[in-house]
Amino acid sequence: MNSYDVAVIGSGPGGYVAAIRCAQLGMKTAIIEKYSTLGGTCLNVGCIPSKALLDSSHHYEDAVKHFEDHGIDIPGEIKVNLEKMVARKQSVVDQTTGGIDFLMKKNNIDVYQGIGSFKDATHIVISGEKEEEIEAKNTIVATGSKPSSLPFISIDKERVITSTEALKLKEVPKHLIVIGGGVIGLELGQVYKRLGAEVTVVEYMDRIIPTMDSGLSKELNKVLKKQKFTINNSHKVKSVERVGDEVVVKADNKKGEEVELRGDYCLVSVGRRPFTDGLNAEAAGVKITDRGQIEVNDHLQTSASNIYAIGDVVKGAMLAHKAEEEGVFVAETIAGQKPHIDYNLIPGVVYTWPEVAAVGQTEEQLKDKGVAYKVGQFPMRALGRSRASMDLDGFVKILADKSTDEILGVHMIGARAADMIAEAVVAMEYRASAEDVSRMSHAHPTFTEAIKEAALAATDDRALHV
Ligand code: FAD
Ligand code: NAD
C-alpha cells in the first residue's frame, strides 16, 4: 500500500493548490479526483468556462452594437456560431485542466482517479477503474460544492438547467428565465442576453447581488435594465413546470399577487451546496454540520485532528481564490508554520459588463456595527479613459473610518473593476488610509484614476475631476 505525508481529496482550486504547496514543502503528496480531468468545478464547469463564454459573447455584442460607433463597418450580417463558441470554451477548459496535469507531474504529486472514501482517519479507499487503498498521515478534504435547487423544482438538465448545462447549450434560448439574481444568474444571463435571448431574472430578495454593497446592486440593476434585462426583485418562486418545450414559472410578487412567466429555458441559480457524498466522513470521525459543511476550527482542522478541510465544502465564501488561500494555509499548517488568512480581504467579483468588484466592509455592515465612516465616490463617466472606450457606467466608492481615515471597504462597478480591485486589496492589506491612496500617482488615462479620485473624495471631499 502506498503511504503519503498528505492525501488531498478533490482537485479543484483548493485541492490542487494545497497539493502543490505540500509538495513544495517537501511532503510526499497524493491527490484523488473522481472525474477524469483535474481542476474541479472552477476549471471544468465554473470560473474558466463561464469567463470564456462571457468574453466571446462580449466580442459579439461589441461587433453588433458598438463597432459602428468606432468607425468600423462590417459588410454583411454578423452571426453567432454557438457550436464554435462552445467548442472554443471547451478548448480553453482542456488547455487549463491539462496545465494542472503538468503541475502535478512537475511537483511529483501522485494522481489517483476515483472516488476517495475514508476507511478510517489514516486510510482512504479509492474506487475508480480499480479499487486501491492508500495510507495518509494527514488528509485535506477539498470536495467542493454542487448546484443547489428548490425542493419543488425538478432539474431535467434540458430545459430546467443549472450552470453546468448553461455552459453547453446547443441553441440560444428565446426566453431564458433565471431564478436567482446572484453571481451565476447574472453572468450567464448576460452571456445569453448578448447572444439575443430575452432574459428575465426572478430574485427572492429586494435587490440583485444582495450580499454586496447596496449601491452596487442599484447601479447594476440600472445598467442591466438599460441592456433590456427584465428584473423581478422581491419575487417568491413557488412552482417551475416543464410543459413540452416550455417552462412555466409561477412566483408571488411583493404584493402577494401571482406572476406567471413562460420561457424555453429556466436557469436555476439559487446558490451551491457543499459536497460530501461518498466521502464516508463518519468513518474518519469527521463531523458535518446541519448545513452540510465539514465542521472546521480556525486552523481548518476537522474533528479528526489529522484531517483538514478547505474551499466550498467548509464555511465562508464559495470562491476559487478563497479555496486557494485555504489550500496554502493548511499545507503550511501541516508543515508546522503559522500562516494567516484575512477573510475580510478576500475580494468578490461579478464578471458582468460593467464588472462589479468589492473588498472589505459594505455600508450596510458598517451601519450594523455602528462604525462611524465617511464615503468617497467617483463616477466612471468623469474619466477620460472611460470616454475613450465608451465605458461610462459605474463608480468607485471608498469607505473610510471617520476618525482614522483607514480604508474599510472598496466597492466598484465599471470597466475592468475585476482587475482594479487588486489595488484596494493591497492598500487594505497594508492598512492604508484614503489619503495614502489619494497621494499615489495613478497612470493617466486609466480606469484606476477613479480609485485615486474616490480616495480624494473620501479624504477631504476634494476629487479633482467632478
Ligand atoms: P471544487 O472546485 O468544487 O472541486 C472539488 C473537486 O472534488 C471536484 O473536482 C470533485 O469532482 C472532487 N470530488 C468531490 N468528492 C470527491 C471524492 N469523494 N473523491 C474524489 N474527488 C472528489 N469562483 C471564483 O472565485 N471566480 C469565478 O469567476 C467563479 N465563477 C464560477 C462560475 C460558475 C458557473 C460556478 C459554478 C462557480 C464559479 N466560481 C467562481 C466558484 C468556484 O468554482 C468555486 O468556489 C471553487 O471551484 C471551489 O473550489 P474547491 O476546490 O473548494 O472545490
Ligand atoms: P449566489 O448566492 O451568488 O446567488 C443566489 C441568488 O439566488 C441570491 O441572490 C439569492 O437571494 C437568490 N435566491 C435564493 N433563493 C431564491 C429563491 N427561492 N427564489 C429566487 N431567488 C432566490 O449563488 P449562485 O449565483 O448560484 O452562485 C453559487 C456560488 O458560486 C456563489 O457562492 C458564488 O460565490 C460562486 N460563484 C462565483 C462567481 C464569481 O466569483 N464571479 C461566479 C459564479 C459563481
Side-chain angles (χ1 to χ4, degrees), residues 24-342:
Q24 284 177 342
L25 290 163
M27 293 181 264
K28 191 177 175 208
T29 307
I31 192 162
I32 305 160
E33 171 54 56
K34 66 177 180 162
Y35 288 128
S36 57
T37 53
L38 301 178
T41 304
C42 178
L43 273 60
N44 289 283
V45 289
C47 326
I48 300 300
S50 58
K51 268 79 254 179
L53 289 183
L54 276 159
D55 263 356
S56 297
S57 59
H58 200 164
H59 286 310
Y60 171 72
E61 183 178 63
D62 270 347
V64 172
K65 292 194 180 153
H66 305 303
F67 274 16
E68 211 184 329
D69 300 332
H70 289 269
I72 305 166
D73 293 332
I74 298 187
E77 199 190 342
I78 304 168
K79 282 197 256 172
V80 174
N81 182 335
L82 188 63
E83 197 182 335
K84 212 166 165 181
M85 205 178 268
V86 171
R88 187 197 79 94
K89 172 220 74 176
Q90 194 53 43
S91 79
V92 172
V93 168
D94 295 344
Q95 283 167 37
T96 315
T97 57
I100 308 301
D101 290 337
F102 164 79
L103 291 173
M104 295 301 105
K105 282 198 191 89
K106 184 184 161 210
N107 287 285
N108 293 319
I109 296 162
D110 288 349
V111 177
Y112 291 87
Q113 199 204 321
I115 298 174
S117 303
F118 284 109
K119 189 174 161 194
D120 57 41
T122 50
H123 293 87
I124 301 163
V125 175
I126 302 154
S127 318
E129 268 180 21
K130 52 180 180 171
E131 196 167 286
E132 284 177 90
E133 188 176 325
I134 60 169
E135 186 181 37
K137 278 191 209 129
N138 299 284
T139 297
I140 302 173
V141 179
T143 48
S145 63
K146 290 275 174 218
S148 59
S149 182
L150 299 172
F152 50 84
I153 298 182
S154 151
I155 306 270
D156 65 14
K157 299 192 178 184
E158 284 176 8
R159 298 273 164 185
V160 183
I161 57 175
T162 70
S163 55
T164 304
E165 295 75 50
L167 292 167
K168 53 181 183 198
L169 289 185
K170 296 214 164 15
E171 60 179 352
V172 175
K174 289 181 193 66
H175 181 194
L176 174 66
I177 301 169
V178 175
I179 303 183
V183 207
I184 292 182
L186 299 181
E187 287 184 359
L188 293 177
Q190 201 173 45
V191 166
Y192 288 106
K193 180 81 200 125
R194 289 168 179 164
L195 299 182
E198 183 190 339
V199 177
T200 303
V201 176
V202 188
E203 167 58 47
Y204 178 73
M205 303 294 280
D206 61 359
R207 58 187 176 98
I208 53 171
I209 47 167
T211 55
M212 298 187 92
D213 189 278
S214 63
L216 296 178
S217 300
K218 212 166 144 192
E219 181 74 2
L220 185 62
N221 202 92
K222 197 175 90 191
V223 176
L224 292 179
K225 278 197 164 162
K226 245 186 349 189
Q227 294 173 5
K228 306 262 184 297
F229 272 74
T230 305
I231 299 178
N232 298 312
N233 290 321
S234 302
H235 275 58
K236 187 171 190 249
V237 175
K238 53 185 190 185
S239 71
V240 176
E241 299 294 337
R242 167 130 181 220
V243 186
D245 283 348
E246 235 188 5
V247 185
V248 183
V249 174
K250 288 184 183 160
D252 286 338
N253 69 14
K254 208 173 170 181
K255 294 179 193 151
E257 299 155 350
E258 185 177 285
V259 175
E260 186 182 285
L261 300 163
R262 286 174 178 268
D264 50 347
Y265 288 88
C266 174
L267 168 63
V268 181
S269 48
V270 292
R272 292 177 62 84
R273 63 175 177 86
F275 183 75
T276 53
D277 297 3
L279 189 63
N280 202 20
E282 320 76 61
V286 171
K287 275 196 203 141
I288 293 177
T289 67
D290 296 344
R291 302 180 67 188
Q293 293 164 333
I294 294 187
E295 193 176 283
V296 285
N297 63 18
D298 288 348
H299 303 286
L300 298 172
Q301 195 174 28
T302 69
S303 42
S305 61
N306 65 327
I307 301 174
Y308 297 78
I310 59 172
D312 281 10
V313 79
V314 299
K315 63 189 174 186
M318 287 184 165
L319 295 173
H321 44 286
K322 178 259 193 187
E324 290 187 30
E325 291 306 322
E326 292 185 334
V328 170
F329 176 96
V330 164
E332 294 180 351
T333 302
I334 294 172
Q337 299 183 4
K338 302 251 175 308
H340 172 72
I341 297 175
D342 186 345

